């Protein structure tokens, strides 16, 4: 039986795109309290079912597929530019294909403006009308208004006219930044992208006996299974180690490992791999907010996904990418004694114009990772790091980084890193890393 909260979410999910909803309306339609309705609407917003727009209300929007994340809806543009909707509210859920900045004569604009565009322009009423007739939405900069006839046309055509108090350059920069951030998010692989769904997952029930486990083991050749109760909630994990030495008729809930570690759909694969390495876990159950099983991920799934991420071209650069791209191998004398060079760019500095502590940490951990990969093919997780930042490093300085492998075992590596600027020692670090074999 679904909870009231889940029933409201299902109800919202089935509403047509563009529909306006409110706490009072949901409370009345489903006979729930306004508090319950409010919490469910907030959850729906987190899940991407609806979007709340200032001075407009909460609108049911089209859920964007992950691979199509760089497409924004007009509703999202309103939020990005702190805009006000002057007309065409019914078209806020539509996605836009491109931006056109209207800094040219009307005749020249005809070539660039087509259906699905967003024309960014000042207080040029004639241009607003032309854009709508061409099937484009309009974003008026400088906080200007437009004629009532244009607003009426926008309502008829269901194409939004948005007004923002920012100037054209600022608006274009804000939208660009939003797309760029989304492209970075697109690269982050989540558990939901790689999980084995619950339909394909074998779960052991608390009432099952050890002989049921033996049957599943023979059928699948797997030895680890999540244990669920009658409400499909994960209550344990059972492995071959747990059943050893017990009678086959022993109930599973007597020998299982209780309160196992679990992850949610939106957990990143990188974070899951960290948990698995740390705790020596082979399988992690994936659960919803109520701890009900939604599937599982295995260590193999995680490693495959991490390898795939490394092979993919990065679309949006993160700060880590900017820093690590500066790190170049200057000489590799013998195995484990590489020397790296790195120039301190303006982006890598703090407000004093010297290298920031965060950037320095990234540089030493990247150098240590690279030198350890000469010994072990695979991924690694930094377990702990001690940093001694001895002297400030000025902008445009060139650093020489000397990572030295002190010890390397089957599962871990210990690296000492020294950083020099013009022959002077400016920083030192000691790192312990866990190694994940492929």
């Amino acid at each position: 039986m679904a909870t009231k909260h889940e029933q409201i979410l299902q109800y919202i999910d089935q509403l047509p795109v563009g529909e306006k909803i409110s706490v009072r309306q949901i409370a009345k339609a489903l006979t729930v309290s306004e508090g319950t309705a409010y919490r469910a609407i907030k959850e729906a917003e987190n899940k991407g079912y609806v979007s709340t727009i200032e001075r407009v209300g909460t609108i049911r929007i089209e859920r964007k597929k992950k691979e199509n994340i760089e497409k924004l809806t007009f509703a999202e543009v309103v939020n990005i530019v702190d805009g006000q909707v002057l007309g065409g509210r019914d078209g806020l859920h539509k996605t836009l294909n491109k931006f056109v900045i209207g800094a040219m004569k009307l005749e020249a604009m005809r070539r660039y403006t087509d259906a699905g565009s967003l024309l960014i322009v000042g207080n040029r009423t004639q241009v607003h009308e032309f854009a709508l007739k061409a099937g484009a939405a309009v974003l008026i900069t400088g906080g200007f208004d437009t004629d009532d006839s244009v607003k009426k046309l926008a309502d008829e055509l269901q194409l939004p006219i948005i007004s923002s108090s920012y100037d054209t350059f600022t608006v274009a920069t804000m939208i660009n930044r939003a797309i760029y951030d989304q492209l970075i998010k697109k690269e982050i692989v989540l558990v939901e992208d790689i999980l084995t769904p619950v339909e394909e997952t074998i779960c052991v029930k608390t009432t099952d006996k050890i002989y049921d486990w033996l049957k599943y083991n023979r059928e699948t050749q797997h030895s680890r299974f999540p244990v669920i109760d009658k409400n499909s909630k994960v209550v344990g994990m059972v492995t071959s180690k747990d059943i050893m030495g017990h009678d086959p008729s022993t109930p599973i809930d007597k020998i299982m490992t209780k309160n196992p570690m679990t992850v949610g759909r939106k957990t990143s694969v990188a974070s899951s791999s960290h948990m698995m390495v740390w705790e020596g876990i082979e399988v992690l159950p994936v659960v919803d907010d109520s701890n009900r099983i939604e599937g599982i991920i295995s260590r193999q799934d995680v490693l495959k996904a991490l390898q795939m991420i490394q092979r993919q071209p990065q679309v949006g650069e993160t700060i880590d990418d900017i820093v690590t791209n500066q790190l170049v191998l200057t000489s590799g004398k013998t195995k484990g004694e590489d020397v790296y060079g790195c120039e301190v760019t303006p982006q890598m500095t703090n407000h004093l114009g010297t290298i920031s502590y965060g950037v320095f940490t990234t540089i030493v951990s990247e150098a240590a990772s690279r030198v350890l990969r000469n010994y072990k093919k695979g991924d690694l997780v930094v377990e702990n790091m001690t940093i001694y930042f001895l002297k400030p490093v000025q902008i445009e300085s060139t650093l020489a980084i000397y990572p030295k492998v002190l010890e390397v075992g089957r599962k871990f590596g210990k690296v000492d890193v020294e950083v020099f600027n013009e022959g002077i020692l400016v920083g030192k670090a000691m790192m312990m890393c866990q190694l994940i074999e492929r």
Side-chain angles (χ1 to χ4, degrees), residues 46-76:
N46 294 338
K47 285 182 184 281
Y49 296 173
V50 297
S51 181
T52 303
I53 302 153
E54 218 180 320
R55 294 183 285 276
V56 175
T58 305
I59 306 282
R60 174 78 175 92
I61 58 165
E62 206 165 355
R63 285 189 82 186
K64 295 193 303 299
K65 289 186 176 66
K66 194 161 184 207
E67 60 275 13
N68 199 24
I69 201 163
E70 56 270 45
K71 291 219 168 171
L72 291 175
T73 62
F74 294 118
E76 287 167 300

mmCIF file of all heavy atoms in Angstrom, residues 46-76:
data_model
loop_
_atom_site.group_PDB
_atom_site.id
_atom_site.type_symbol
_atom_site.label_atom_id
_atom_site.label_comp_id
_atom_site.label_asym_id
_atom_site.label_seq_id
_atom_site.Cartn_x
_atom_site.Cartn_y
_atom_site.Cartn_z
ATOM 1 N N ASN A 46 12.149 18.480 -6.095
ATOM 2 C CA ASN A 46 13.471 17.840 -6.063
ATOM 3 C C ASN A 46 13.614 16.782 -7.141
ATOM 4 O O ASN A 46 14.671 16.607 -7.721
ATOM 5 C CB ASN A 46 13.744 17.187 -4.701
ATOM 6 C CG ASN A 46 13.853 18.221 -3.598
ATOM 7 O OD1 ASN A 46 14.131 19.388 -3.868
ATOM 8 N ND2 ASN A 46 13.619 17.811 -2.359
ATOM 9 N N LYS A 47 12.504 16.073 -7.404
ATOM 10 C CA LYS A 47 12.538 14.990 -8.401
ATOM 11 C C LYS A 47 12.413 15.532 -9.835
ATOM 12 O O LYS A 47 12.532 14.781 -10.792
ATOM 13 C CB LYS A 47 11.401 13.993 -8.135
ATOM 14 C CG LYS A 47 11.654 13.084 -6.940
ATOM 15 C CD LYS A 47 10.506 12.108 -6.770
ATOM 16 C CE LYS A 47 10.656 11.229 -5.540
ATOM 17 N NZ LYS A 47 11.575 10.124 -5.690
ATOM 18 N N GLY A 48 12.128 16.833 -9.963
ATOM 19 C CA GLY A 48 12.048 17.418 -11.302
ATOM 20 C C GLY A 48 10.681 17.289 -11.959
ATOM 21 O O GLY A 48 10.540 17.412 -13.164
ATOM 22 N N TYR A 49 9.601 17.004 -11.157
ATOM 23 C CA TYR A 49 8.251 16.930 -11.733
ATOM 24 C C TYR A 49 7.684 18.330 -11.940
ATOM 25 O O TYR A 49 6.931 18.572 -12.874
ATOM 26 C CB TYR A 49 7.281 16.197 -10.794
ATOM 27 C CG TYR A 49 7.560 14.745 -10.508
ATOM 28 C CD1 TYR A 49 6.819 14.043 -9.551
ATOM 29 C CD2 TYR A 49 8.556 14.052 -11.195
ATOM 30 C CE1 TYR A 49 7.059 12.712 -9.273
ATOM 31 C CE2 TYR A 49 8.806 12.716 -10.917
ATOM 32 C CZ TYR A 49 8.066 12.052 -9.956
ATOM 33 O OH TYR A 49 8.305 10.740 -9.676
ATOM 34 N N VAL A 50 7.988 19.236 -10.989
ATOM 35 C CA VAL A 50 7.411 20.583 -11.035
ATOM 36 C C VAL A 50 8.509 21.623 -10.835
ATOM 37 O O VAL A 50 9.606 21.307 -10.391
ATOM 38 C CB VAL A 50 6.328 20.780 -9.934
ATOM 39 C CG1 VAL A 50 5.157 19.857 -10.134
ATOM 40 C CG2 VAL A 50 6.900 20.622 -8.542
ATOM 41 N N SER A 51 8.190 22.874 -11.178
ATOM 42 C CA SER A 51 9.139 23.972 -10.956
ATOM 43 C C SER A 51 8.356 25.155 -10.397
ATOM 44 O O SER A 51 7.267 25.472 -10.877
ATOM 45 C CB SER A 51 9.801 24.358 -12.281
ATOM 46 O OG SER A 51 10.719 25.393 -12.065
ATOM 47 N N THR A 52 8.886 25.789 -9.350
ATOM 48 C CA THR A 52 8.212 26.939 -8.756
ATOM 49 C C THR A 52 8.818 28.210 -9.334
ATOM 50 O O THR A 52 10.030 28.410 -9.269
ATOM 51 C CB THR A 52 8.357 26.920 -7.224
ATOM 52 O OG1 THR A 52 7.830 25.676 -6.754
ATOM 53 C CG2 THR A 52 7.604 28.058 -6.581
ATOM 54 N N ILE A 53 7.966 29.031 -9.910
ATOM 55 C CA ILE A 53 8.433 30.263 -10.555
ATOM 56 C C ILE A 53 7.818 31.448 -9.837
ATOM 57 O O ILE A 53 6.602 31.490 -9.604
ATOM 58 C CB ILE A 53 8.042 30.263 -12.054
ATOM 59 C CG1 ILE A 53 8.644 29.031 -12.741
ATOM 60 C CG2 ILE A 53 8.502 31.521 -12.747
ATOM 61 C CD1 ILE A 53 7.878 28.587 -13.928
ATOM 62 N N GLU A 54 8.671 32.393 -9.472
ATOM 63 C CA GLU A 54 8.217 33.566 -8.736
ATOM 64 C C GLU A 54 7.152 34.316 -9.537
ATOM 65 O O GLU A 54 7.269 34.456 -10.755
ATOM 66 C CB GLU A 54 9.416 34.499 -8.507
ATOM 67 C CG GLU A 54 9.367 35.158 -7.138
ATOM 68 C CD GLU A 54 10.568 36.067 -6.927
ATOM 69 O OE1 GLU A 54 11.670 35.690 -7.323
ATOM 70 O OE2 GLU A 54 10.360 37.144 -6.388
ATOM 71 N N ARG A 55 6.140 34.773 -8.842
ATOM 72 C CA ARG A 55 5.034 35.537 -9.431
ATOM 73 C C ARG A 55 4.216 34.720 -10.459
ATOM 74 O O ARG A 55 3.407 35.257 -11.178
ATOM 75 C CB ARG A 55 5.529 36.848 -10.084
ATOM 76 C CG ARG A 55 6.091 37.824 -9.071
ATOM 77 C CD ARG A 55 6.505 39.117 -9.731
ATOM 78 N NE ARG A 55 7.736 38.992 -10.465
ATOM 79 C CZ ARG A 55 8.945 39.097 -9.930
ATOM 80 N NH1 ARG A 55 9.068 39.332 -8.648
ATOM 81 N NH2 ARG A 55 10.028 38.971 -10.656
ATOM 82 N N VAL A 56 4.490 33.431 -10.563
ATOM 83 C CA VAL A 56 3.698 32.585 -11.474
ATOM 84 C C VAL A 56 3.060 31.447 -10.685
ATOM 85 O O VAL A 56 1.872 31.210 -10.755
ATOM 86 C CB VAL A 56 4.593 31.992 -12.603
ATOM 87 C CG1 VAL A 56 3.775 31.025 -13.464
ATOM 88 C CG2 VAL A 56 5.171 33.096 -13.468
ATOM 89 N N GLY A 57 3.879 30.733 -9.882
ATOM 90 C CA GLY A 57 3.361 29.613 -9.101
ATOM 91 C C GLY A 57 4.123 28.345 -9.427
ATOM 92 O O GLY A 57 5.176 28.375 -10.041
ATOM 93 N N THR A 58 3.571 27.214 -8.995
ATOM 94 C CA THR A 58 4.224 25.923 -9.220
ATOM 95 C C THR A 58 3.606 25.258 -10.440
ATOM 96 O O THR A 58 2.404 25.081 -10.521
ATOM 97 C CB THR A 58 4.062 25.034 -7.963
ATOM 98 O OG1 THR A 58 4.575 25.770 -6.848
ATOM 99 C CG2 THR A 58 4.826 23.745 -8.089
ATOM 100 N N ILE A 59 4.461 24.924 -11.402
ATOM 101 C CA ILE A 59 4.009 24.407 -12.704
ATOM 102 C C ILE A 59 4.540 22.990 -12.903
ATOM 103 O O ILE A 59 5.699 22.707 -12.602
ATOM 104 C CB ILE A 59 4.570 25.297 -13.867
ATOM 105 C CG1 ILE A 59 4.224 26.768 -13.660
ATOM 106 C CG2 ILE A 59 4.117 24.787 -15.224
ATOM 107 C CD1 ILE A 59 2.834 27.167 -14.011
ATOM 108 N N ARG A 60 3.682 22.096 -13.409
ATOM 109 C CA ARG A 60 4.124 20.738 -13.782
ATOM 110 C C ARG A 60 4.998 20.863 -15.025
ATOM 111 O O ARG A 60 4.575 21.403 -16.034
ATOM 112 C CB ARG A 60 2.884 19.882 -14.081
ATOM 113 C CG ARG A 60 3.187 18.489 -14.631
ATOM 114 C CD ARG A 60 3.623 17.543 -13.553
ATOM 115 N NE ARG A 60 3.799 16.202 -14.088
ATOM 116 C CZ ARG A 60 4.948 15.728 -14.550
ATOM 117 N NH1 ARG A 60 6.028 16.482 -14.542
ATOM 118 N NH2 ARG A 60 5.034 14.493 -15.003
ATOM 119 N N ILE A 61 6.250 20.400 -14.929
ATOM 120 C CA ILE A 61 7.155 20.534 -16.078
ATOM 121 C C ILE A 61 7.530 19.165 -16.629
ATOM 122 O O ILE A 61 7.318 18.143 -16.003
ATOM 123 C CB ILE A 61 8.458 21.307 -15.714
ATOM 124 C CG1 ILE A 61 9.204 20.606 -14.557
ATOM 125 C CG2 ILE A 61 8.190 22.756 -15.402
ATOM 126 C CD1 ILE A 61 10.623 21.048 -14.351
ATOM 127 N N GLU A 62 8.094 19.189 -17.822
ATOM 128 C CA GLU A 62 8.544 17.963 -18.460
ATOM 129 C C GLU A 62 9.831 17.530 -17.775
ATOM 130 O O GLU A 62 10.734 18.334 -17.619
ATOM 131 C CB GLU A 62 8.835 18.268 -19.935
ATOM 132 C CG GLU A 62 8.699 17.098 -20.826
ATOM 133 C CD GLU A 62 8.646 17.534 -22.296
ATOM 134 O OE1 GLU A 62 8.631 18.741 -22.581
ATOM 135 O OE2 GLU A 62 8.639 16.639 -23.123
ATOM 136 N N ARG A 63 9.895 16.271 -17.367
ATOM 137 C CA ARG A 63 11.146 15.796 -16.741
ATOM 138 C C ARG A 63 12.190 15.637 -17.820
ATOM 139 O O ARG A 63 11.966 14.981 -18.825
ATOM 140 C CB ARG A 63 10.918 14.456 -16.056
ATOM 141 C CG ARG A 63 10.174 14.578 -14.765
ATOM 142 C CD ARG A 63 10.164 13.273 -14.034
ATOM 143 N NE ARG A 63 11.408 13.082 -13.291
ATOM 144 C CZ ARG A 63 11.703 11.963 -12.658
ATOM 145 N NH1 ARG A 63 10.895 10.952 -12.700
ATOM 146 N NH2 ARG A 63 12.819 11.849 -11.991
ATOM 147 N N LYS A 64 13.333 16.254 -17.591
ATOM 148 C CA LYS A 64 14.400 16.168 -18.598
ATOM 149 C C LYS A 64 15.105 14.833 -18.453
ATOM 150 O O LYS A 64 15.419 14.400 -17.375
ATOM 151 C CB LYS A 64 15.431 17.280 -18.389
ATOM 152 C CG LYS A 64 14.877 18.644 -18.619
ATOM 153 C CD LYS A 64 15.978 19.644 -18.719
ATOM 154 C CE LYS A 64 16.874 19.682 -17.513
ATOM 155 N NZ LYS A 64 16.223 20.023 -16.273
ATOM 156 N N LYS A 65 15.333 14.196 -19.581
ATOM 157 C CA LYS A 65 16.148 12.984 -19.553
ATOM 158 C C LYS A 65 17.576 13.413 -19.337
ATOM 159 O O LYS A 65 17.980 14.474 -19.755
ATOM 160 C CB LYS A 65 16.035 12.255 -20.899
ATOM 161 C CG LYS A 65 14.678 11.618 -21.112
ATOM 162 C CD LYS A 65 14.697 10.803 -22.383
ATOM 163 C CE LYS A 65 13.391 10.065 -22.587
ATOM 164 N NZ LYS A 65 12.269 10.904 -22.823
ATOM 165 N N LYS A 66 18.348 12.527 -18.705
ATOM 166 C CA LYS A 66 19.723 12.890 -18.351
ATOM 167 C C LYS A 66 20.548 13.284 -19.568
ATOM 168 O O LYS A 66 21.297 14.231 -19.561
ATOM 169 C CB LYS A 66 20.375 11.711 -17.627
ATOM 170 C CG LYS A 66 21.642 12.122 -16.952
ATOM 171 C CD LYS A 66 22.063 11.181 -15.903
ATOM 172 C CE LYS A 66 23.280 11.759 -15.237
ATOM 173 N NZ LYS A 66 24.123 10.814 -14.691
ATOM 174 N N GLU A 67 20.376 12.504 -20.679
ATOM 175 C CA GLU A 67 21.229 12.786 -21.836
ATOM 176 C C GLU A 67 20.839 14.085 -22.536
ATOM 177 O O GLU A 67 21.531 14.580 -23.392
ATOM 178 C CB GLU A 67 21.210 11.607 -22.828
ATOM 179 C CG GLU A 67 19.858 11.253 -23.389
ATOM 180 C CD GLU A 67 19.100 10.310 -22.468
ATOM 181 O OE1 GLU A 67 19.500 10.125 -21.322
ATOM 182 O OE2 GLU A 67 18.075 9.768 -22.914
ATOM 183 N N ASN A 68 19.661 14.627 -22.163
ATOM 184 C CA ASN A 68 19.190 15.835 -22.818
ATOM 185 C C ASN A 68 19.284 17.030 -21.873
ATOM 186 O O ASN A 68 18.569 18.002 -22.014
ATOM 187 C CB ASN A 68 17.728 15.611 -23.220
ATOM 188 C CG ASN A 68 17.287 16.582 -24.291
ATOM 189 O OD1 ASN A 68 18.113 17.104 -25.022
ATOM 190 N ND2 ASN A 68 16.004 16.835 -24.354
ATOM 191 N N ILE A 69 20.187 16.933 -20.906
ATOM 192 C CA ILE A 69 20.212 17.899 -19.807
ATOM 193 C C ILE A 69 20.594 19.304 -20.260
ATOM 194 O O ILE A 69 20.259 20.285 -19.629
ATOM 195 C CB ILE A 69 21.143 17.399 -18.677
ATOM 196 C CG1 ILE A 69 20.784 18.076 -17.368
ATOM 197 C CG2 ILE A 69 22.596 17.570 -19.018
ATOM 198 C CD1 ILE A 69 21.332 17.381 -16.151
ATOM 199 N N GLU A 70 21.314 19.397 -21.415
ATOM 200 C CA GLU A 70 21.729 20.740 -21.827
ATOM 201 C C GLU A 70 20.580 21.555 -22.408
ATOM 202 O O GLU A 70 20.734 22.710 -22.728
ATOM 203 C CB GLU A 70 22.917 20.688 -22.802
ATOM 204 C CG GLU A 70 22.731 19.888 -24.042
ATOM 205 C CD GLU A 70 23.167 18.444 -23.847
ATOM 206 O OE1 GLU A 70 22.839 17.835 -22.835
ATOM 207 O OE2 GLU A 70 23.819 17.918 -24.746
ATOM 208 N N LYS A 71 19.391 20.927 -22.575
ATOM 209 C CA LYS A 71 18.224 21.668 -23.048
ATOM 210 C C LYS A 71 17.511 22.255 -21.843
ATOM 211 O O LYS A 71 17.081 21.532 -20.960
ATOM 212 C CB LYS A 71 17.281 20.742 -23.806
ATOM 213 C CG LYS A 71 17.873 20.298 -25.121
ATOM 214 C CD LYS A 71 16.835 20.237 -26.200
ATOM 215 C CE LYS A 71 17.590 20.074 -27.493
ATOM 216 N NZ LYS A 71 16.958 19.813 -28.640
ATOM 217 N N LEU A 72 17.337 23.563 -21.844
ATOM 218 C CA LEU A 72 16.648 24.220 -20.728
ATOM 219 C C LEU A 72 15.201 24.478 -21.105
ATOM 220 O O LEU A 72 14.886 24.690 -22.271
ATOM 221 C CB LEU A 72 17.309 25.570 -20.449
ATOM 222 C CG LEU A 72 18.718 25.587 -19.861
ATOM 223 C CD1 LEU A 72 19.200 27.021 -19.782
ATOM 224 C CD2 LEU A 72 18.740 24.988 -18.479
ATOM 225 N N THR A 73 14.324 24.505 -20.106
ATOM 226 C CA THR A 73 12.958 24.949 -20.371
ATOM 227 C C THR A 73 12.912 26.452 -20.115
ATOM 228 O O THR A 73 13.776 27.004 -19.432
ATOM 229 C CB THR A 73 11.952 24.255 -19.425
ATOM 230 O OG1 THR A 73 12.284 24.622 -18.092
ATOM 231 C CG2 THR A 73 11.982 22.747 -19.562
ATOM 232 N N PHE A 74 11.878 27.099 -20.654
ATOM 233 C CA PHE A 74 11.727 28.550 -20.427
ATOM 234 C C PHE A 74 11.505 28.826 -18.941
ATOM 235 O O PHE A 74 11.915 29.861 -18.432
ATOM 236 C CB PHE A 74 10.568 29.107 -21.267
ATOM 237 C CG PHE A 74 10.840 29.034 -22.756
ATOM 238 C CD1 PHE A 74 10.034 28.287 -23.593
ATOM 239 C CD2 PHE A 74 11.917 29.705 -23.303
ATOM 240 C CE1 PHE A 74 10.291 28.210 -24.959
ATOM 241 C CE2 PHE A 74 12.184 29.639 -24.663
ATOM 242 C CZ PHE A 74 11.368 28.884 -25.493
ATOM 243 N N ALA A 75 10.866 27.873 -18.233
ATOM 244 C CA ALA A 75 10.640 28.035 -16.788
ATOM 245 C C ALA A 75 11.975 28.147 -16.056
ATOM 246 O O ALA A 75 12.141 28.955 -15.151
ATOM 247 C CB ALA A 75 9.848 26.849 -16.249
ATOM 248 N N GLU A 76 12.956 27.333 -16.487
ATOM 249 C CA GLU A 76 14.271 27.384 -15.851
ATOM 250 C C GLU A 76 14.987 28.693 -16.162
ATOM 251 O O GLU A 76 15.694 29.235 -15.316
ATOM 252 C CB GLU A 76 15.123 26.192 -16.309
ATOM 253 C CG GLU A 76 14.648 24.893 -15.690
ATOM 254 C CD GLU A 76 15.259 23.687 -16.362
ATOM 255 O OE1 GLU A 76 15.052 23.498 -17.565
ATOM 256 O OE2 GLU A 76 15.935 22.921 -15.681
#
